[in-house]
Every structure is written in structure tokens, then in C-alpha cells.
């Protein structure tokens, strides 16, 4: 009986070892995690444990718009941009918790591009979750909670076998394997996250510098439903973020990176979204800065040459915006009324302070 039990235990152990080896081999051979912005971002986040006091969260409108190096030079902070592609409100919530577990955060700036706060569920964009959980620490409880809440058992299965949600092309495999065996994961090596042909380059601490200007006009991605300017999903995680910050004694500031005036003009009922978030900010004793409504266009001096597409800043625009953002942060810290810096309505912005995208030739963007 004893010998049979030992054999069964040995067989089980061998099965698990072989399974682990096969999963590791599949990950090495098939999955490209070398060319990932979020992989480098999270690697740097963990490397700076205990140092970060200022955190930026949000989607690509965050990591393409805010340069932590410029923030730190202006404000004397140690900031980090933990934005990620298509980061949804739940992703911001779990990244906040992960960063707070390793740092004594003082201030969190949550970028709130409106489309993410109008998703119906995280499972609608599972890749937004995997871009973060694939690279979180293996012993992080946040990692597994986020995966489970997003996808249940299917989400956990994707953690064991990332090839389920991303397989490299056959022709790219040899170069990928070489990178993995040499310098692909070397700290500070941004060669694999620099794309000259695409005009994109990772610049450190989560910031991605983008070149180029909008080529296809300023058609909106989504109009706002005035009866529900944020979805239930968006409200749920915005409240969770605010409550977590309140419990941890972290200052939470809500903001939206600037959108072209032409895009704003093409988005129906955007005012409803602004008013809803402003009301939420007031309820939680904080502020909401929508830089699409920034009153002084000369101070930020943004125009068509500062946007890489219909709604993202390029690198030149990001540096301009980061400078103004720091000025507003400094005024806020000094107790100044920052609300006066922003137009109360979209109508005022478009009639009195619009940027030059609004004056493009007829037919360049939708009316």
C-alpha cells in the first residue's frame, strides 16, 4: 500500500513537472513579451519599489501624454506613469493597488478618457487585462484577483498559457528567441520597444513618445449618452478607486488629457460626461481637470501638429501638455482656484478658445 502511494505521488509530481515544462516551452517559443511596453513599464515599477510618490493611471491617453521626467524636474517628485494600452477603469484600480503595495503614494492622477468609462464590462476587452497581468509579479494577490474578476477560470487559464491570447508570427520567431536568450529583458534596454517606422519609442517610467500627425481627420470614437454619461462598470471602478485612495490617505486628482477641438466638436453630448465627473469630484472633495476645455490656448499652444491621430497627443504635444499640467498642479498645491482655468462648457471652449483643428477645410472631419 505504501509503495503504491509513493508511486502515485511520484506520477503526480512528474505530471505537474512535465506540464510546467511544456507551458514554459510554449511561452518561450510562441509568446512575444519582449516587444511590450507594459512589460518594461511593470519591470521598472517593481525596480523602483519604495521610491514612487506620484502615480499616473489610465489608457494610452495617459502613457502618451504625461512624461514623468518632466514632471519630476518641475515638481521635485518621483513620479511614474502606469498607463497601459486600453487600460479600463478596473485596470486602473488594480494597478493602483499594485503600486500602493510597493510604494508610499502621496498623489494619484487618474486620466479619464471617456470611452473607457463607457465600457459595459472588462471582459469586453480582455487584452487590456492581460497586458498587465502577464507581467505582474507571480506572488501578487492583485494579479489573480484582477484575472478572476475579468475572466474567471478562462482568465486564469490565459495566465498559464499566454499563447492563448497572443502568438508571434512564424517569421519573427528566430529573432524573438535570440532576444530572449540575450538582452531582451535587460533593465534599461529600450531597443525592443522602439519602433522608428511607426514613430513610437518608450522613454522610461511608462512614457511613450509618439511622432507624426493626424492624417484621417477627427471623427469621434463615441458619442456620450446624456442619460448615462458613464456606464455602471465605469462608475463602479471609479468609486472603488476613490474609496481606496481615501482609505489609504492618497490624494486623488481626476483629469483628461487634451483632445483636439475638432474631435470635441464631433462628439455629441460630451458636456454630460464633463458634468458627471465634475459632480463626482466635488462629492469626493477633489478636482477634475479636463484639458480639452483649458481656457488659455496660448499657454498650451496645441494644434493639429501636436496630435498623432484624432485623439492622441504626439510627443511634441505631450511635452507641451506636461508643462501646463505641472503648472496647474503647482497652482493647486498652492491653494489656488484651478477651476477658473477651464471653460465650464464645451460650447464656450469651441466658440472662444478652440485650437486650429476646428478650422480645418470642409470635409476634413465630420460635422
Amino acid at each position: 500500500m505504501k509503495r503504491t502511494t509513493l508511486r502515485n505521488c511520484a506520477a503526480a509530481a512528474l505530471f505537474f513537472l512535465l506540464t510546467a515544462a511544456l507551458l514554459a516551452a510554449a511561452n518561450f517559443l510562441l509568446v512575444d513579451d519582449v516587444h511590450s511596453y507594459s512589460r518594461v513599464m511593470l519591470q521598472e515599477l517593481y525596480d523602483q519599489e519604495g521610491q514612487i510618490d506620484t502615480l499616473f493611471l489610465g489608457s494610452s491617453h495617459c502613457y502618451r501624454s504625461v512624461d514623468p521626467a518632466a514632471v519630476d524636474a518641475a515638481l521635485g517628485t518621483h513620479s511614474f506613469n502606469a498607463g497601459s494600452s486600453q487600460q479600463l477603469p478596473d485596470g486602473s484600480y488594480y494597478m493602483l493597488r499594485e503600486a500602493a503595495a510597493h510604494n508610499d503614494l502621496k498623489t494619484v492622477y487618474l486620466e479619464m478618457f471617456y470611452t473607457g468609462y463607457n465600457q459595459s464590462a472588462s471582459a469586453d476587452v480582455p487584452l487590456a487585462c492581460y497586458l498587465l497581468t502577464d507581467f505582474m509579479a507571480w506572488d501578487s494577490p492583485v494579479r489573480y484577483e484582477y484575472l478572476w474578476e475579468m475572466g474567471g477560470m478562462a482568465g486564469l487559464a490565459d495566465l498559464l498559457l499566454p499563447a492563448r491570447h497572443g502568438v508571434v508570427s512564424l517569421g519573427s520567431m528566430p529573432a524573438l528567441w535570440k532576444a530572449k536568450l540575450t538582452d531582451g529583458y535587460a533593465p534599461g534596454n529600450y531597443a525592443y520597444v522602439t519602433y522608428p517606422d511607426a514613430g513610437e519609442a518608450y522613454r522610461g517610467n511608462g512614457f511613450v513618445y509618439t511622432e507624426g500627425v493626424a492624417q484621417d481627420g477627427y471623427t469621434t470614437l463615441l458619442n456620450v449618452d446624456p442619460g448615462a454619461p458613464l456606464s455602471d462598470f465605469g462608475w463602479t471602478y471609479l468609486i472603488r478607486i476613490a474609496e481606496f485612495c481615501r482609505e489609504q490617505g492618497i490624494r486623488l486628482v481626476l483629469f483628461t488629457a487634451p483632445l483636439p477641438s475638432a474631435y470635441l466638436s464631433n462628439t455629441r453630448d460630451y458636456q454630460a460626461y464633463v458634468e458627471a465627473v465634475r459632480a463626482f469630484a466635488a462629492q469626493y472633495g477633489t478636482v477634475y481637470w479636463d484639458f480639452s476645455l483649458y481656457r488659455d490656448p496660448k499657454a498650451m499652444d496645441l494644434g493639429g501638429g501636436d496630435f498623432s491621430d484624432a485623439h492622441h497627443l504626439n510627443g511634441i504635444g505631450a511635452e507641451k501638455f506636461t508643462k501646463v499640467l505641472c503648472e496647474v498642479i503647482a497652482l493647486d498645491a498652492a491653494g489656488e482656484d484651478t477651476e477658473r482655468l477651464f471653460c465650464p462648457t464645451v460650447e464656450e471652449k469651441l466658440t472662444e478658445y478652440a485650437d486650429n483643428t476646428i478650422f480645418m477645410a470642409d470635409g476634413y472631419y465630420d460635422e
Side-chain angles (χ1 to χ4, degrees):
M1 176 67 73
K2 185 176 181 180
R3 182 174 297 177
T4 301
T5 301
L6 289 174
R7 284 178 179 171
N8 290 339
C9 290
L14 181 60
F15 172 79
F16 284 116
L17 285 173
L18 288 174
T19 300
L22 287 171
L23 290 172
N27 183 55
F28 176 86
L29 295 172
L30 302 176
V31 178
D32 183 0
D33 55 4
V34 172
H35 300 88
S36 170
Y37 291 144
S38 53
R39 191 266 304 168
V40 182
M41 180 270 287
L42 274 156
Q43 182 178 7
E44 292 183 340
L45 180 74
Y46 290 128
D47 287 346
Q48 296 175 42
E49 181 173 5
Q51 302 175 49
I52 299 166
D53 53 38
T54 302
L55 187 70
F56 293 89
L57 293 169
S59 66
S60 53
H61 293 85
C62 181
Y63 74 73
R64 295 178 187 274
S65 300
V66 181
D67 181 359
V71 172
D72 295 346
L75 302 176
T77 53
H78 188 117
S79 65
F80 195 91
N81 193 327
S84 58
S85 184
Q86 296 183 293
Q87 187 176 111
L88 298 181
D90 62 337
S92 296
Y93 170 68
Y94 285 112
M95 277 303 300
L96 166 61
R97 285 180 49 192
E98 186 69 358
H102 297 273
N103 298 277
D104 183 15
L105 299 177
K106 305 300 183 186
T107 311
V108 168
Y109 295 92
L110 178 65
E111 204 287 325
M112 295 186 61
F113 183 60
Y114 73 108
T115 61
Y117 286 83
N118 279 279
Q119 289 287 339
S120 59
S122 181
D124 292 344
V125 193
L127 186 59
C129 173
Y130 299 137
L131 284 173
L132 296 173
T133 55
D134 279 358
F135 308 112
M136 284 181 175
W138 69 269
D139 59 347
S140 167
V142 170
R143 183 190 207 191
Y144 305 104
E145 185 178 340
Y146 183 15
L147 274 169
W148 179 260
E149 194 155 316
M150 187 282 297
M153 288 302 298
L156 295 176
D158 274 279
L159 178 63
L160 292 173
L161 187 59
R164 278 169 46 97
H165 56 263
V167 177
V168 69
S169 65
L170 187 63
S172 302
M173 287 181 179
L176 173 65
W177 301 338
K178 180 180 179 181
K180 288 188 174 189
L181 292 170
T182 54
D183 60 346
Y185 303 120
N189 179 13
Y190 300 153
Y192 296 101
V193 283
T194 300
Y195 307 98
D197 292 342
E200 295 183 2
Y202 185 88
R203 293 285 181 89
N205 281 14
F207 176 55
V208 173
Y209 190 98
T210 308
E211 297 179 346
V213 296
Q215 301 293 325
D216 300 315
Y218 299 98
T219 302
T220 189
L221 292 176
L222 179 73
N223 291 310
V224 175
D225 178 356
L230 284 76
S231 66
D232 290 343
F233 168 74
W235 280 123
T236 295
Y237 281 96
L238 181 56
I239 292 169
R240 286 190 181 185
I241 289 168
E243 292 291 349
F244 180 86
C245 286
R246 176 183 282 178
E247 293 166 3
Q248 300 296 316
I250 300 169
R251 161 85 160 149
L252 173 65
V253 174
L254 311 177
F255 78 103
T256 296
L259 298 168
S261 293
Y263 184 94
L264 208 60
S265 177
N266 289 331
T267 304
R268 288 195 301 273
D269 295 309
Y270 187 77
Q271 183 69 34
Y273 179 79
V274 172
E275 290 175 358
V277 181
R278 281 175 175 167
F280 180 87
Q283 178 184 347
Y284 278 86
T286 187
V287 292
Y288 172 53
W289 301 327
D290 191 327
F291 285 91
S292 305
L293 304 180
Y294 196 68
R295 203 172 230 129
D296 186 353
K298 293 183 179 179
M300 197 150 40
D301 192 29
L302 292 179
D306 300 300
F307 293 91
S308 62
D309 58 25
H311 47 87
H312 287 98
L313 289 167
N314 60 24
I316 295 172
E319 297 299 357
K320 290 180 180 180
F321 166 60
T322 301
K323 180 177 182 295
V324 171
L325 174 62
C326 290
E327 292 171 356
V328 175
I329 290 172
L331 289 172
D332 181 63
E336 297 282 341
D337 175 19
T338 56
E339 187 174 327
R340 63 183 174 80
L341 301 173
F342 301 87
C343 296
T345 65
V346 172
E347 181 182 6
E348 180 181 323
K349 172 66 179 184
L350 296 180
T351 56
E352 302 293 333
Y353 305 103
D355 63 43
N356 67 18
T357 62
I358 203 74
F359 306 116
M360 293 294 182
D362 289 342
Y364 191 66
Y365 60 88
D366 294 339
E367 292 294 335

